[in-house]
Amino acid sequence: MTDISQGLAFGAMQFGTTADARAAATMVEACLAAGLRDFDTAHGYAGGASERMLGDILRGVEGVRVATKAGYTGGAGRANLTAQLAESLDRLGMPVDLLYLHRFDPDTSLDETVATLVGFKRQGLVRRIGLSNLAAWQVMKAQGIAAVIGGRIDAIQPMYSAVKRQAEVELLPMAMDQGLAVYGYSPLGAGLLSGKYVAGGQGRLTADARYARRYAGVPEGVDAGFTGLAAEAGLHPVTLAVAWVMAHPARVVPIVSARDAAQLAPALAAAGVRLDPALYAAVAALVPTPPPATDRTEEGPG
Ligand SMILES: NC(=O)c1ccc[n+]([C@@H]2O[C@H](COP(=O)([O-])OP(=O)(O)OC[C@H]3O[C@@H](n4cnc5c(N)ncnc54)[C@H](OP(=O)(O)O)[C@@H]3O)[C@@H](O)[C@H]2O)c1
């Protein structure tokens, strides 16, 4: 059996919204049965219901790792991060393996944020610290601050899928250089790559205006092209989308998610799939490759 304990994580963002307690428990059970050990949530998800539900299901289960995030609301200052982590630990009722800053806060000094995160690690409140939704320069600035005080940023969590490839330009090469763990969120493009919209189906992208806006720029026909490639390869589109993210050399761990166990099954199946390079390239060619970070590329590096 394929070992997916390091290759896939499961996201509980929908616990308490589109996934009720029963669906949540069934999905976690399916993850554990498949060998998945990493679970992702956030202080801000579903007003705290996501952390509570995840904790209720996982508390007492051996060998699982829970990541959560702080600072989506209230900023990245010491007082807010400290209060939110305390609340997260209380809701979860179990240790936090990895705490991320959820998003950059331009109004707080990064020195204060990083010192706070490093302090949490030193106090044994969390085992690892990470940064989500930050630009590479912000991550490297944080890494520099951490190094000065004898600490280290362990992980990043960018958005990454075959239709959202910005992370390839700076974040993923940076992560390889720095030895950072990478957990990629929204590997299905919030469901765009599930194949259901090609067939006229409904889901988050028709129900949630925020997500509809996020994916509005994806060129027309990309989902149909992607579904065609999956069919030719004999793969469920969800399996192909998740396997494609996993194939990046930065060893991106996709955070898979679903509203029920039936939706989740093809995502878990991706762990056993190794993509043929031609198929990998054909998927990549569906959207324009994001331009490199510097303009003088015609002469090569140097
Ligand atoms: N750091 C951050 O800022 C951030 C942001 C977003 C997410 N995340 C994390 O990443 C996790 C995953 O994000 P995501 O939910 O956006 O991931 P995703 O994999 O891109 O989208 C998952 C959604 O696609 C649809 N779907 C999944 N399987 C399907 C299937 N077989 N058939 C049809 N539709 C299917 C479902 O939505 P519908 O059925 O509702 O259409 C499902 O909820 C979250 O739980 C969270 O932990 C982090």
Side-chain angles (χ1 to χ4, degrees):
M1 186 179 152
T2 314
D3 176 18
I4 67 170
S5 61
Q6 306 290 329
L8 282 180
F10 175 81
M13 182 172 71
Q14 291 173 97
F15 288 10
T17 54
T18 57
D20 62 15
R22 213 179 113 97
T26 318
M27 285 193 279
V28 171
E29 227 168 81
C31 289
L32 294 173
L36 185 152
R37 291 290 174 265
D38 279 290
F39 295 85
D40 184 85
T41 181
H43 180 271
Y45 292 164
S50 170
E51 289 182 325
R52 265 186 234 103
M53 289 167 72
L54 188 65
D56 286 348
I57 301 167
L58 286 182
R59 211 171 296 126
V61 179
E62 286 285 309
V64 292
R65 296 176 288 264
V66 171
T68 193
K69 316 180 194 80
Y72 190 79
T73 55
R78 180 181 299 277
N80 188 49
L81 297 183
T82 303
Q84 292 195 352
L85 173 60
E87 205 171 1
S88 293
L89 284 164
D90 185 55
R91 290 169 180 167
L92 286 160
M94 60 187 293
V96 168
D97 173 69
L98 169 57
L99 178 74
Y100 297 97
L101 172 67
H102 205 147
R103 62 172 166 177
F104 187 67
D105 170 12
D107 299 322
T108 299
S109 137
L110 200 52
D111 298 80
E112 176 179 338
T113 304
V114 172
T116 302
L117 293 172
V118 168
F120 291 159
K121 205 160 118 173
R122 289 218 173 105
Q123 293 164 61
L125 291 171
V126 303
R127 195 175 68 86
R128 296 185 291 163
I129 53 176
L131 303 167
S132 184
N133 295 308
L134 264 64
W137 71 264
Q138 294 165 334
V139 176
M140 286 311 304
K141 185 173 171 183
Q143 195 66 294
I145 294 167
V148 168
I149 57 174
R152 178 183 149 73
I153 304 296
D154 302 295
I156 57 169
Q157 186 179 132
M159 180 189 294
Y160 188 51
S161 71
V163 291
K164 289 285 188 183
R165 295 176 47 206
Q166 182 61 41
E168 288 170 16
V169 180
E170 297 252 55
L171 285 166
L172 299 184
M174 173 198 71
M176 288 197 285
D177 177 71
Q178 295 289 305
L180 296 171
V182 185
Y183 295 88
Y185 75 79
S186 295
L188 304 182
L192 184 72
L193 298 173
S194 68
K196 70 180 166 193
Y197 296 106
V198 178
Q202 305 287 306
R204 196 192 304 171
L205 293 176
T206 49
D208 184 332
R210 191 162 70 114
Y211 274 89
R213 265 199 314 278
R214 194 174 294 172
Y215 289 91
V218 175
E220 189 88 17
V222 165
D223 52 347
F226 179 79
T227 307
L229 288 173
E232 274 172 37
L235 294 171
H236 191 294
V238 166
T239 309
L240 177 57
V242 175
W244 189 87
V245 168
M246 291 175 85
H248 193 281
R251 301 172 69 98
V252 181
V253 175
I255 309 175
V256 299
S257 191
R259 61 169 66 215
D260 57 35
Q263 273 195 350
L264 183 63
L268 295 178
V273 174
R274 294 289 164 269
L275 292 187
D276 174 74
L279 176 57
Y280 182 84
V283 171
L286 289 169
V287 300
T289 296
T294 50
D295 277 331
R296 185 169 165 178
T297 52
E298 69 288 346
E299 298 161 28

